[in-house]
Amino acid sequence: GIFFPCIFTQHMFFSLALYAVKVRAEAMQKASEAVPSGMLSVIGRREANYKFACLEARRHCELLGIENPVCEVSNYLFPDSRVIAGHLEALKFLQENARKYYFARTKMLPVSGAFHTRLMESAVEPLAEVLKSIEIQKPLLCVYSNVDGKKYMHSKHIKKLLVKQVVSPVMWEQTMHSVYERKQGTEFPYTYEVGPGKQLGTILKSCNLKAWKQYTHVDALEDDEEAAET
């Protein structure tokens, strides 16, 4: 997803931000239609070597006659959990050889392309172009980029990373470490996940058990229903 770390002071600016999201989505969809590709969720054992597995999958594609094959980690979710994206032939190869690479479980995701890989390069320019027309202010609160797991610094830095994120892996695990980094003995903040599902809480638990103990899930739909009943 795309997030604009800014303060919406005008309706026009908010509309431009939504338009940028639309341009990004359409450009990425177009890129995904150019090559048969997808994303594979992988739970690996401790012995798993994801980079080596992807390398062999690319070599397999080359033997099939595919030029410049893509197969790489696109999402770092939590320890021993990755999403690998690339050409469909590469992902099928990994599924068929899961035991060899110490993959405990693999599952194709219901998406149409290899997002966050160089197969999305054609979507970079349209997003960069629309961002030129949008004024993005420095965040008043700390906002972290999942491109590198670090805080956004200034307007140019934000725009640069928003564009880079289209073709870069999502460093969610690394971002969790950055957000919850504390000196020993310091209490962790309260964390709230709002909306349906507890996926982010599950990931937090795997990344930082102590921080997860201050985690709470808030289901907005349940709250609405309770309010309606009263």
Side-chain angles (χ1 to χ4, degrees), residues 181-200:
E181 184 178 8
R182 296 289 187 280
K183 292 182 180 179
Q184 190 170 2
T186 304
E187 288 189 8
F188 287 97
Y190 289 100
T191 299
Y192 299 91
E193 180 175 1
V194 180
K198 302 179 181 180
Q199 293 88 342
L200 299 181

Side-chain angles (χ1 to χ4, degrees), residues 22-89:
K22 179 176 182 290
V23 168
R24 177 183 184 269
E26 291 176 346
M28 292 179 73
Q29 179 60 35
K30 186 176 180 181
S32 69
E33 293 171 356
V35 176
S37 58
M39 305 180 81
L40 180 71
S41 175
V42 176
I43 301 294
R45 306 185 194 283
R46 291 193 174 184
E47 304 91 337
N49 186 326
Y50 302 96
K51 289 186 177 180
F52 177 69
C54 290
L55 174 63
E56 294 213 326
R58 291 196 297 271
R59 288 175 176 170
H60 169 74
C61 288
E62 290 173 349
L63 292 175
L64 296 178
I66 299 174
E67 296 183 4
N68 301 316
V70 172
C71 183
E72 57 197 49
V73 175
S74 63
N75 293 68
Y76 293 82
L77 298 176
F78 55 88
D80 302 322
S81 177
R82 304 283 187 272
V83 175
I84 296 175
H87 283 82
L88 286 180
E89 291 81 357

Side-chain angles (χ1 to χ4, degrees), residues 14 31 42 77 120 130 153 180 187 207:
F14 182 69
V42 176
L77 298 176
M120 294 290 113
V130 74
M153 298 169 61
Y180 292 97
E187 288 189 8
C207 291

